[in-house]
Amino acid sequence: MSLLERLNQDMKIAMKNKERDNLSVIRMVKAAMQNEGYKLGRQELSDDEALTVLARELKQRKDSYKEFKSAGREDLAEKLESEIALIETYMPQQLTEEELESVVLETIKEESATSKAEMGKVMSAIMPKVKGKADGGRVNALVLKHLS
């Protein structure tokens, strides 16, 4: 089942069960996917493209969550926390620290990178491998650790 089909199915369930918060989040994610489709000039997004949109939506909410927490807005932070949890259910299983480190080391070896100056080359080779499975910040930190 594609990501869009899962979203549609869950949207119907949320409507039937009158889960307004879940319904709102699912609609926002679907709208973001639809907007991306318009930008690309297509009706349907591939699962990979849909995953990219989903990851972007998740990152935006995580950033906002940090801002609300630091500003002391617990009410808004709690709402975002539930949105983040819902969106994460649609994301692929995240890589463990060991799995991610193995991918990083393997890619550094493939790219024959030895210094921080080659970090961009390594990052651009790693990110497609871990798309949706690891946060870019985690990847960046590991690459930096192994290239220094």
Side-chain angles (χ1 to χ4, degrees):
M1 176 184 305
S2 78
L3 184 57
L4 195 55
E5 290 170 346
R6 261 184 71 201
L7 284 167
N8 284 330
Q9 185 179 34
D10 289 351
M11 188 169 80
K12 289 175 189 173
I13 292 169
M15 279 186 217
K16 285 179 185 174
N17 296 336
K18 297 187 181 358
E19 298 168 341
R20 285 186 295 179
D21 292 339
N22 289 355
L23 182 60
S24 172
V25 173
I26 293 170
R27 282 182 172 156
M28 281 190 277
V29 169
K30 282 189 61 178
M33 288 181 184
Q34 199 170 24
N35 288 339
E36 187 70 19
Y38 290 143
K39 280 185 205 171
L40 297 173
R42 284 186 266 142
Q43 199 77 324
E44 290 278 325
L45 294 178
S46 68
D47 270 351
D48 196 37
E49 293 165 335
L51 188 60
T52 301
V53 173
L54 197 60
R56 186 177 344 142
E57 291 293 310
L58 183 60
K59 184 177 181 344
Q60 286 174 352
R61 282 168 177 77
K62 284 183 177 181
D63 291 346
S64 296
Y65 175 79
K66 287 177 190 172
E67 292 295 320
F68 289 145
K69 271 295 210 190
S70 67
R73 294 294 310 262
E74 295 300 320
D75 54 330
L76 296 173
E78 283 179 30
K79 184 178 183 302
L80 277 176
E81 203 169 3
S82 65
E83 288 183 16
I84 289 168
L86 178 64
I87 293 173
E88 283 178 338
T89 62
Y90 296 102
M91 296 294 288
Q93 182 68 36
Q94 296 291 296
L95 294 174
T96 64
E97 205 62 33
E98 294 79 29
E99 292 169 331
L100 185 57
E101 190 153 10
S102 135
V103 171
V104 167
L105 289 171
E106 178 185 311
T107 307
I108 288 174
K109 190 175 180 180
E110 287 171 5
E111 297 294 321
S112 304
T114 56
S115 70
K116 288 183 186 177
E118 298 170 295
M119 190 164 172
K121 179 172 76 170
V122 174
M123 286 296 291
S124 63
I126 290 176
M127 290 315 287
K129 295 178 183 178
V130 298
K131 186 175 206 158
K133 298 177 193 167
D135 179 58
R138 284 178 54 206
V139 175
N140 192 320
L142 278 174
V143 170
L144 195 57
K145 174 183 156 189
H146 290 290
L147 285 180
S148 53

